[in-house]
Amino acid sequence: MIKLLEKLPPNECAKFLHRVVDGVCGRNPPRMKDYGNMWSLTEWLELLDGLSSFFRFAVGKKLSDEEVLESLGDLNSGHREVMLTCLKGRRDEIRHALLERTNAVSSAQLQDFDWQIKLALSSDKISSLQMALLNLNLDVKQDGVVKPVSIELNREELQTLISSLEAANKVVLQLK
């Protein structure tokens, strides 16, 4: 629904887009009362959502200028250029806001860890068990307080944990 942007003259478009980026970055977004005569409420919401999503996508995927212009193909050339100029000028700011948003998912941080492998030979129920177990001790800092967390994992649970951590690392590397 970015096409709705064409209702705004290109000379006013830059100011509007910078206000949208302000909203993406956690500051004051544009207000409908300032632009209410151009769009209906539904169009306004669709436009803001579309523009915010576009800016987050373009920065998150590190789109080149050509890719940005290509993805804006349905807009007229004046509005495409204004969008590209705004994006180029505020790319670092948007990226920082995206990283902050990602970091805000959890305030906990891993401070230290220790591990031990144990071989359980038997239990009170099974006379011959022979199962390897990993004791993982984590020191997690949350709200300035370090809390110890202990986890005991079997082979399958450990493999699941490793896969999850590798996937998370892949996402972090893509954001850099």
Side-chain angles (χ1 to χ4, degrees):
M1 295 317 296
I2 294 176
K3 186 91 169 133
L4 292 169
L5 187 62
E6 290 181 352
K7 288 186 175 182
L8 193 63
N11 59 339
E12 295 178 32
C13 189
K15 180 181 174 188
F16 176 72
L17 291 173
H18 283 287
R19 293 289 306 271
V20 171
V21 171
D22 286 344
V24 169
C25 295
R27 292 188 294 279
N28 292 332
R31 299 178 308 182
M32 182 171 178
K33 73 177 188 176
D34 297 335
Y35 301 95
N37 58 341
M38 291 181 213
W39 299 291
S40 69
L41 178 60
T42 306
E43 290 175 333
W44 173 258
L45 294 173
E46 287 175 2
L47 180 63
L48 280 185
D49 184 51
L51 290 171
S52 298
S53 297
F54 175 78
F55 284 126
R56 286 192 300 265
F57 175 77
V59 172
K61 294 292 185 180
K62 298 180 181 176
L63 297 182
S64 68
D65 293 352
E66 295 79 28
E67 291 171 321
V68 168
L69 290 174
E70 183 180 312
S71 62
L72 294 171
D74 56 340
L75 277 178
N76 68 40
S77 61
H79 286 85
R80 280 194 314 221
E81 288 300 322
V82 172
M83 287 272 296
L84 180 61
T85 304
C86 180
L87 181 64
K88 286 168 67 173
R90 309 271 311 260
R91 187 178 302 256
D92 290 338
E93 201 175 341
I94 297 168
R95 185 177 184 285
H96 181 72
L98 291 176
L99 288 172
E100 287 296 318
R101 190 174 175 187
T102 302
N103 289 340
V105 170
S106 174
S107 62
Q109 297 175 329
L110 179 64
Q111 296 295 304
D112 196 13
F113 69 95
D114 189 22
W115 58 274
Q116 285 181 323
I117 300 251
K118 295 181 179 180
L119 183 60
L121 298 175
S122 64
S123 72
D124 61 342
K125 308 255 189 253
I126 303 173
S127 62
S128 178
L129 186 60
Q130 296 192 8
M131 181 188 334
L133 297 172
L134 172 76
N135 282 343
L136 184 60
N137 298 310
L138 307 172
D139 291 332
V140 178
K141 184 176 182 180
Q142 187 168 17
D143 300 325
V145 179
V146 177
K147 300 176 186 176
V149 177
S150 296
I151 306 169
E152 186 174 85
L153 305 166
N154 62 26
R155 184 181 300 257
E156 292 80 25
E157 293 168 331
L158 176 60
Q159 191 57 49
T160 302
L161 175 65
I162 290 171
S163 298
S164 298
L165 291 174
E166 286 174 343
N169 187 45
K170 208 179 270 189
V171 169
V172 168
L173 290 176
Q174 287 177 350
L175 287 174
K176 288 185 178 181

